[in-house]
Each structure stands twice: as C-alpha cells, then as structure tokens.
Amino acid sequence: MVVYYYHSFVQIIVTGCFGFIGFNFINYLFSNYSNDFKVLGVDNLNNNCSSINKKLFNNKNFKHVNLDINDIDQLESKNIDIIINFAAQSHVDNSIFNPKEFAHTNVQGVISLLNYTKSNKIKKFIHMSTDEVFGSSSVNKFKENDKFNPASPYSASKASAEHFCKAFRKTYDQNILILRPCNNYGIFQQPEKLIPFSILNTIKGGNIEIYGEGKNVRNWIHVNDTSDAIIKLISESPENEEFNISTDYFLDNLSLAEKIINFSNLPKEKITFVKDRPGHDFRYATDNTKIKKMGWKPKYDFDESLVEIIDWYKSNTKWWSAEYEKTLKNRKKRFTLDT
C-alpha cells in the first residue's frame, strides 16, 4: 500500500531518471502504481543509452526536464513531496582516471539537490548511495552504522555525499533517507559495467575480461528488487535513517564469467585474465536485517535473470552499440595510471 500525502497522488522528482537504476525504477513504479504517482524526471542525457531511454518512455504522469543536477535551481516546481536522487557517476574504473568529475556530480551535485530540497520545503529526500562506502570485508557484513572506509574515488565521493546528507539533517532539520544498494543487475545497464560489458564482448565475438584472478566477490541484487525496496520505504515513511539494500547472493567475478559463458553456450577459453585495477576491493557485503524487518525481501533469482539479460542484449543491439564502442576506447585507459 502506497502512502498518500496531502493530495491524491505522491509527487516525486526523480534525478538520473534515464540511467540504469533510475530508468528501471520509473518503469517499475508506473507498471505497479500507475495512479499513485506523478514524476518529474531530471536527466542531462549525458550518454546515448539515456537518450534512447527517453524515446522509449511515455506516461501521462511523467515529465522530463533536461538538466544537470548542479543546475537544479533552474527547475521551477510546486508541491513536490519527495526527491529521489539516482543521478551519479558510478563506474569505479572511470573514477580512477577522472576523480574531479565524480566529485562534481556525486558531491557538489548532491549539495545542490539538498539546498533545493531545503529552499522548496520538500518533505523528504531519498539519496541512493552504495555498499562500497564501507570498503572491503573478507568475512563480515557491514551494518548501517559501521565505519566508512572507501577505497576508490567513486566510493569516496559517495561517502562524502552521505556526510553532507547527515549534516543537512542536523543543521537544517531535513528528512533524509540514505539507501545503500549492493551491485544491481538487470536490463538497460550501460555497457561499461561488468555484466553487460562481458555479455557484449561475447556477442561481438570477443572474450570476457576478468581483472586479476577473478576472486573478487560482489553481492548482487536485481534492479527491480531495489525498486521494490524504495517503494516499501516510501510507503512505510521512516525518517532520517539509513538502509542497506542487499541480498544473500554472493558471487566471485570468475564464477560470474563462467555463468555467462555457460548460458551463452561458449567455451571456457572465452575468459581472459587481465591486469587488475588499482585499489580493487576484495568483497562488498552489507547486513540487510533492518529492511527485512520492515517486510521487504528480494524476489528475483540470479541465474534465471541472467539468461533473460543475455537474451535482451542480443535483441537490443541498437540500444547499446554506440556506448559499447565508447567503452572500448575508455577501456584502454584502465590498465595504466597514466591519464
């Protein structure tokens, strides 16, 4: 059951609405709660995939504004109940070579959104962070209040953004939720990320490239399960809290590559080991007890979903081809610290 505010529907600003998680979220939202929300989507369409996503989406309760979050003050809006911030630079490899860009979007951009929320007296700000703010743990799972230990410019920028969120809570008495999802997977994920990049390499006749020995472990969650968790938290309306959004499904990168090879009916020789990236965290893991106690739990099976994802990328070459070529060019920078 979705919570209602002062009018017959919840009015939301969704930033990064045509990125991977943001786009899946608005699709999930309107597929399941079509009459409960009105959404103003903010996205600067900074890549080809986002531009295509805009063309694919149409709903009478949705409007898009082409705007960078650092320029959010240019947006005139009234009676907004919630801002959900998906906008971010999110690829660790890219952050190693361009940390300033990550600080600009992930830190300064969040400050701009927080100021906008305060100035317009918006009731709630939901910030999408990451499990990577805690750093690596070989055995344990991090709880919401554990110490941060970011290891990459990306995770450092997300940790910094969280500190500003907490400061705005205390200084300006703002209602801010911080959500820390683990590694999301699903369709519409940009080619630079591990799962789609690996799939696309095989589609193009190449090999899956695995950093180091492939022993690094990640915790995986379907993007629709993440969307469902966000809806749950909107419905339950907790205030000024942090929530880990994760599953109990862990997989090392080599095993992931082997699954893609197996489901694609390709030989194991299609896996190639390449030089590890600098500062590569070994294992991310967060405790999801808190959100499970609210009645949420993940529903999607990884293997079943992976088969569907492989088929989707095979059937949607026009969606990913331009960004894939750009990713290949950027990929050459990732094996050296020289910029």
Side-chain angles (χ1 to χ4, degrees):
M1 179 66 66
V2 175
V3 65
Y4 287 86
Y5 283 75
Y6 300 119
H7 20 257
S8 60
F9 42 77
V10 183
Q11 297 197 116
I12 303 179
I13 292 175
V14 175
T15 66
C17 63
F18 294 125
F20 168 48
I21 302 181
F23 188 55
N24 276 281
F25 174 76
I26 61 174
N27 275 292
Y28 184 88
L29 187 73
F30 286 117
S31 294
N32 293 280
Y33 307 97
S34 59
N35 297 318
D36 294 327
F37 293 89
K38 283 194 173 182
V39 175
L40 182 61
V42 175
D43 197 299
N44 64 357
L45 304 177
N46 64 351
N47 65 68
N48 191 64
C49 293
S50 296
S51 297
I52 297 175
N53 288 347
K54 179 183 178 179
K55 297 176 183 177
L56 294 174
F57 192 81
N58 182 41
N59 187 284
K60 63 183 177 63
N61 288 329
F62 175 84
K63 178 182 178 181
H64 170 242
V65 178
N66 191 337
L67 197 66
D68 188 287
I69 58 172
N70 280 285
D71 300 318
I72 193 68
D73 282 344
Q74 297 177 18
L75 181 66
E76 293 184 9
S77 59
K78 296 181 180 179
N79 300 319
I80 295 297
D81 299 303
I82 305 170
I83 292 182
I84 307 178
N85 178 39
F86 295 100
Q89 296 286 340
S90 63
H91 194 48
V92 174
D93 287 3
N94 292 342
S95 78
I96 294 171
F97 301 100
N98 197 354
K100 286 185 177 181
E101 182 178 346
F102 280 67
H104 176 73
T105 300
N106 297 355
V107 184
Q108 293 177 356
V110 170
I111 296 171
S112 296
L113 291 173
L114 290 168
N115 275 324
Y116 182 84
T117 303
K118 173 171 62 70
S119 299
N120 289 275
K121 296 181 173 56
I122 296 170
K123 303 173 188 70
K124 181 179 292 184
F125 183 85
I126 299 178
H127 176 62
M128 302 301 295
S129 187
T130 173
D131 60 352
E132 297 185 34
V133 296
F134 295 114
S136 181
S137 173
S138 58
V139 178
N140 297 325
K141 294 181 179 180
F142 292 106
K143 295 184 178 181
E144 277 80 1
N145 293 326
D146 282 341
K147 181 181 177 181
F148 286 0
N149 187 28
S152 70
Y154 163 64
S155 57
S157 70
K158 299 296 280 188
S160 298
E162 284 206 34
H163 287 309
F164 275 100
C165 286
K166 292 176 182 179
F168 270 68
R169 279 180 186 168
K170 187 171 184 178
T171 304
Y172 304 110
D173 195 29
Q174 289 185 236
N175 179 15
I176 301 171
L177 290 185
I178 299 171
L179 313 186
R180 303 186 187 114
C182 61
N183 276 42
N184 274 247
Y185 66 91
I187 61 175
F188 294 109
Q189 189 169 31
Q190 286 82 357
E192 65 187 6
K193 295 296 184 130
L194 176 59
I195 289 179
F197 185 69
S198 299
I199 294 171
L200 301 186
N201 278 354
T202 63
I203 292 174
K204 299 291 283 187
N207 293 347
I208 296 178
E209 297 178 351
I210 296 297
Y211 284 139
E213 297 178 355
K215 295 180 179 180
N216 302 74
V217 176
R218 296 295 179 261
N219 183 199
W220 293 96
I221 185 170
H222 194 284
V223 66
N224 285 349
D225 280 327
T226 297
S227 297
D228 188 54
I230 297 168
I231 298 297
K232 181 68 175 177
L233 292 170
I234 292 174
S235 176
E236 297 293 331
S237 294
E239 296 188 358
N240 294 323
E241 295 189 50
E242 295 82 44
F243 290 89
N244 296 331
I245 302 176
S246 57
T247 69
D248 298 315
Y249 187 79
F250 293 83
L251 196 66
D252 65 76
N253 291 343
L254 178 56
S255 296
L256 171 59
E258 289 172 344
K259 284 180 180 292
I260 294 173
I261 289 297
N262 182 47
F263 295 151
S264 302
N265 296 313
L266 295 170
K268 289 186 176 181
E269 289 74 22
K270 299 296 287 184
I271 297 175
T272 300
F273 295 92
V274 299
K275 180 182 177 182
D276 206 356
R277 74 179 177 207
H280 197 177
D281 281 327
F282 175 68
R283 174 179 175 268
Y284 299 129
T286 56
D287 187 307
N288 59 16
T289 302
K290 184 176 180 179
I291 192 168
K292 277 189 170 181
K293 286 182 177 179
M294 299 185 75
W296 172 88
K297 63 179 180 180
K299 302 171 183 175
Y300 284 78
D301 178 82
F302 185 87
D303 285 4
E304 291 178 1
S305 299
L306 185 58
V307 172
E308 294 172 357
I309 292 166
I310 292 170
D311 289 341
W312 185 86
Y313 280 101
K314 287 180 178 178
S315 300
N316 289 273
T317 55
K318 290 183 179 179
W319 185 87
W320 53 260
S321 58
E323 281 301 312
Y324 175 71
E325 293 302 320
K326 187 187 298 183
T327 298
L328 290 177
K329 292 179 182 178
N330 291 336
R331 185 80 171 173
K332 296 177 181 179
K333 301 177 183 178
R334 297 176 188 168
F335 304 109
T336 174
L337 285 173
D338 297 331
T339 56

